Every structure is written in C-alpha cells, then in structure tokens.
Amino acid sequence: MTEAVVVAAEEAEVVGLAHGGAFRLLVDGDATAGTPGANRLTLPAGADGARPHRHERSAELFHVLGGRLEFLLGERSVTVGEGGLVVVPPGLVHAFGAAPGTGADVLVVMAPGVERFDYFRHLGRVSMGLEPAESLLPEQGRYDVHFVAGTRWAELRGRGA
C-alpha cells in the first residue's frame, strides 16, 4: 500500500442485522495491504455482538463511540462505556454485546487486517435466518474467527447454560 485510503461515510456498505443493528464496512485488509481493517457496529439495547471466539493472527481494538459494551475477555467480564477502549490480543477468547438497557456504537479495528467483509455479509445473512449459523464453521480459518464453545457468556448475558 503506497496510497492513503479514504472512505467517506456515504461510501461505507451497510450490512443490516435482524435485531436492528448494523455493520458499516469501512476498510478491509485487501484495501490496506493487510494493515488494519475496520468496521463500525451498532447494536440495540442488550443485543449480542459476537459469541465467544478468538483470532489467531489479529489483535482487535474496540473503541466505544456511544452507549456501553459488555465483554467477556477470557474468564473476565467488563463493561466499557462511551469513550472507552478495549484491545484484545491474538488468542484471547472474547465475546461482546450491548449492555442491558443500552445500545452500543463501536469502532472495531483489526490488525493485521484480513479480508473480512464477506464474513460480515455472511453474518448478516445468518442473522436474518437466510443461512444457518453452522455455515460459518468452514470459514473460520479464512476469516481468522475461531468459535469457542462455552457457557460463561450465556450465563453473563442471562441466558443460562
């Protein structure tokens, strides 16, 4: 990459989610030669963002632009409000969602970036019931999103085991 990447707000593709949230796809790893990739995620009050997973190659940065975001970071639970920041290193199991009673608006940056826009599009289809969640499993290595079974996140979110 030798040129700056500029994405105007109106140029960002929006992938809607069934619960009313959305991904705004800002920049993918292929556009930045594998440096960062970024998206903006909005979630309605209490909505899940991602179930427990880890990344083998990338760190993930979350900057909460509005509302509050609840995280599972390994076995630790934290809630981060507007202006807060969380950096998840490669290999750490994590999950996140809007805190109960509030929505969340978050900028998510992955570095190094991988091509993940198709992953977010796929998540949108899963959310709308157009594809089963299991259809993501064969794509884990491609998108560096490796799902992890566990009940801690469900317990934290009040959904039991």
Side-chain angles (χ1 to χ4, degrees):
M1 183 173 101
T2 59
E3 298 289 325
V5 176
V6 178
V7 180
E10 64 274 7
E11 294 173 349
E13 178 183 348
V14 177
V15 176
L17 301 170
H19 52 47
F23 288 105
R24 283 167 181 71
L25 307 181
L26 299 172
V27 67
D28 212 358
D30 61 342
T32 64
T35 55
N39 71 82
R40 185 171 177 177
L41 174 63
T42 54
L43 297 169
D48 281 338
R51 66 188 205 213
H53 67 285
R54 64 181 167 69
H55 307 287
E56 292 180 355
R57 302 182 309 267
S58 298
E60 194 166 24
L61 177 147
F62 298 84
H63 181 194
V64 180
L65 303 172
R68 289 189 338 241
L69 204 59
E70 185 175 47
F71 287 89
L72 176 67
L73 302 168
E75 289 296 314
R76 184 171 66 139
S77 166
V78 297
T79 301
V80 178
E82 181 174 336
L85 180 86
V86 172
V87 178
V88 179
L92 182 66
V93 173
H94 60 288
F96 59 90
T102 185
D105 181 7
V106 60
L107 176 67
V108 183
V109 179
M110 285 193 76
V114 296
E115 295 179 38
R116 297 185 77 221
F117 279 8
D118 281 343
Y119 171 74
F120 296 119
R121 293 176 186 118
H122 195 149
L123 277 177
R125 293 190 301 274
V126 168
S127 141
M128 299 291 187
L130 301 173
E131 293 190 43
E134 296 76 28
S135 65
L136 288 167
L137 297 179
E139 305 298 334
Q140 294 178 94
R142 175 180 174 197
Y143 298 123
D144 191 24
V145 177
H146 304 273
F147 300 107
V148 178
T151 59
R152 177 91 170 109
W153 180 242
E155 291 167 0
L156 285 171
R157 302 294 280 176
R159 294 180 180 91

